[in-house]
Amino acid sequence: MVVGIDATNLRQGGGLTHLVEMLGAADPVNQGITKVRICGDESTLGALEDQSWLSKSPVKELEKSNFHRFFWRQTMLVPELKRSGVDLAFLPGGGMPAGFAPFVTMSRNMLPFELRELNRYGLSFTLMRLYLLRWIQLRGFRRADGTIFLTKYAKEAVSRVTGPLPGLTCTIPHGLSARFRCPPRPQRSIGDCSFSRPYRFVYVSIIDVYKHQWAVVEGVAKLRNEGLPVELHLAGPAYDPSMRKLKAAISRFDPDGSWVHYHGGVPYGKLHKIYEMSDAGIFASSCENMPNILLETMAAGLPVACSNRGPMPEILGDAGFYFDPEIPADITRALREMVFDPELRQRRCALSYQKAGEFSWKRCAEETFRFLAEVNAQFHSRLCAVS
């Protein structure tokens, strides 16, 4: 069996990380897969570790404009898959041009399927792009022979929009890089902290409309007003309208810049350093599919104050200090509970660290290729039954 992977729209971020880590941990021969052929641009293919079963097919047109990329994918992807002798196509970035079967797609983005979150963008290009993505993904899921979801929450939420899907479905969470793993440290008492040696919260995530960093700033400010020696570190790239909202909150609550520290976009290879300098993690997103940043915070051995929305309780379980991410007072309540009870912090971060250990790229790779083989077998079984 030959599997073809379309990586033409995986150039950065979580999609590329998933592809690199999953293939690096894979041994598809165990699933009867003799060859994996992958199409992509030079930078994407160059990030992949060489394997005896992996064949890389660079596409020069992908190095040109977005129009060239779109045109090649719509007109040349299917002929390329057929020419290469591919038995099944896997599209982790979603969307399959007509003319090839069987294929498996993946649900990666929840924003197009949660209208409350989608409409936070107001009348904007981003809103229109997300509605177009909603249409494209709906069409892809309904045509696919198999769909991979990353969490149970995502599968249920998407299925409420798509209705029953004709193809096979499964839930396969992403893995976690070992460099994030750091056993929990002894928890500091807030009484042992001072304004020269404060208790450090960290929130790593893109500054965006559904991430609520401004509410976190206000929530931490309330602790500062109570005299607690705490500070907040934020890291991540920014969506401009949300960055303006965050700057307004910082200007209001920390006008002299003494306790809110924004580090900008930190390279993925250096993220673990941010966690190492912190005492606790905050994750205030209201829309996620598979919250990798939450997993990283858990694996870093930090206690986590977390949004009670989406799949977060599914991932973090009983180990979190939960809050409503849109209510600063509720964020303050959860953070206060965390900082004043170091014994509870110690128990919960030990539990979250243990739970993070359940997520591995090896497991992700094994379950992914097993599912691809299952979809291919069922597809050909149906063809034989029809003939």
Side-chain angles (χ1 to χ4, degrees):
M1 175 184 172
V2 177
V3 169
I5 298 181
D6 170 31
T8 56
N9 57 357
L10 301 179
R11 307 182 73 182
Q12 59 186 352
L16 180 58
T17 299
H18 165 258
L19 186 69
V20 171
E21 298 281 7
M22 192 266 293
L23 290 179
D27 188 6
V29 177
N30 290 336
Q31 308 299 332
I33 296 168
T34 57
K35 185 67 69 177
V36 175
R37 301 187 184 277
I38 182 164
C39 296
D41 62 28
E42 291 282 2
S43 61
T44 297
L45 299 182
L48 302 175
E49 181 181 347
D50 290 333
Q51 308 276 4
S52 61
W53 42 263
L54 183 63
S55 174
K56 304 176 185 180
S57 300
V59 180
K60 292 182 179 179
E61 285 79 0
L62 302 180
E63 310 292 340
K64 301 177 183 179
S65 67
N66 287 335
F67 172 79
H68 284 88
R69 178 181 295 270
F70 175 80
F71 183 78
W72 187 91
R73 197 166 185 270
Q74 295 302 311
T75 61
M76 298 304 298
L77 176 60
V78 169
E80 174 66 18
L81 293 171
K82 291 180 177 179
R83 183 192 65 79
S84 301
V86 167
D87 297 299
L88 175 140
F90 177 36
L91 296 93
M96 180 70 189
F100 190 92
F103 76 91
V104 172
T105 189
M106 176 182 284
S107 169
R108 304 187 57 85
N109 191 344
M110 283 304 301
L111 274 173
F113 296 96
E114 297 194 331
L115 294 182
R116 177 185 178 189
E117 303 294 336
L118 184 64
N119 291 329
R120 292 184 192 276
Y121 289 94
L123 187 58
S124 64
F125 173 78
T126 300
L127 181 71
M128 292 185 288
R129 180 179 62 81
L130 288 170
Y131 268 104
L132 176 61
L133 184 60
R134 176 187 173 95
W135 178 80
I136 292 172
Q137 291 194 348
L138 278 172
R139 184 170 175 265
F141 294 152
R142 288 167 174 163
R143 291 176 50 234
D145 301 279
T147 302
I148 296 174
F149 295 95
L150 307 184
T151 58
K152 294 178 182 178
Y153 172 85
K155 182 176 181 178
E156 292 170 359
V158 171
S159 296
R160 284 195 294 269
V161 180
T162 63
L165 295 176
L168 295 177
T169 63
C170 69
T171 301
I172 304 175
H174 283 179
L176 184 67
S177 173
R179 64 188 171 84
F180 289 104
R181 299 192 188 278
C182 179
R185 304 182 292 271
Q187 294 297 300
R188 290 203 288 163
S189 168
I190 194 66
D192 294 333
C193 300
S194 65
F195 287 103
S196 62
R197 191 170 172 267
Y199 191 86
R200 299 175 299 270
F201 294 113
V202 64
Y203 182 10
V204 176
S205 198
I206 184 173
I207 314 301
D208 212 333
V209 296
Y210 59 99
K211 299 293 189 173
H212 309 291
Q213 281 91 348
W214 41 90
V216 172
V217 169
E218 184 174 350
V220 176
K222 294 177 186 296
L223 293 182
R224 295 276 303 190
N225 292 339
E226 294 171 7
L228 297 182
V230 296
E231 67 180 19
L232 175 63
H233 293 262
L234 301 169
Y239 173 61
D240 286 343
S242 297
M243 189 67 215
R244 291 194 291 270
K245 191 171 182 178
L246 173 60
K247 286 181 176 179
I250 294 173
S251 178
R252 176 185 174 191
F253 295 106
D254 185 25
D256 58 356
S258 62
W259 59 270
V260 180
H261 306 284
Y262 175 54
H263 299 270
V266 177
Y268 180 71
K270 297 181 179 180
L271 270 182
H272 59 288
K273 298 294 184 182
I274 294 288
Y275 297 119
E276 289 173 5
M277 59 171 272
S278 306
D279 293 296
I282 297 174
F283 192 68
S285 177
S286 56
C287 183
E288 295 292 326
N289 189 322
M290 175 72 199
N292 290 335
I293 290 169
L294 174 58
L295 267 184
E296 293 163 5
T297 310
M298 294 162 61
L302 299 178
V304 186
C306 187
S307 165
N308 58 10
R309 306 275 183 86
M312 275 61 86
E314 176 184 338
I315 301 298
L316 186 56
D318 296 332
F321 295 84
Y322 290 104
F323 56 76
D324 186 316
E326 298 185 73
I327 302 178
D330 201 43
I331 296 174
T332 303
R333 175 200 55 75
L335 297 181
R336 188 186 295 113
E337 179 186 9
M338 171 189 282
V339 298
F340 277 116
D341 196 335
E343 292 183 2
L344 181 59
R345 258 189 279 140
Q346 193 76 59
R347 292 196 300 272
R348 290 191 179 177
C349 68
L351 178 58
S352 65
Y353 178 77
Q354 179 183 3
K355 289 180 69 65
E358 300 171 5
F359 297 86
S360 75
W361 286 115
K362 183 172 179 59
R363 170 189 166 186
C364 174
E366 288 177 351
E367 293 182 1
T368 297
F369 281 105
R370 186 182 305 125
F371 181 68
L372 298 182
E374 180 184 359
V375 171
N376 186 64
Q378 185 177 98
F379 176 82
H380 289 286
S381 177
R382 288 201 308 269
L383 283 184
C384 290
V386 170
S387 59

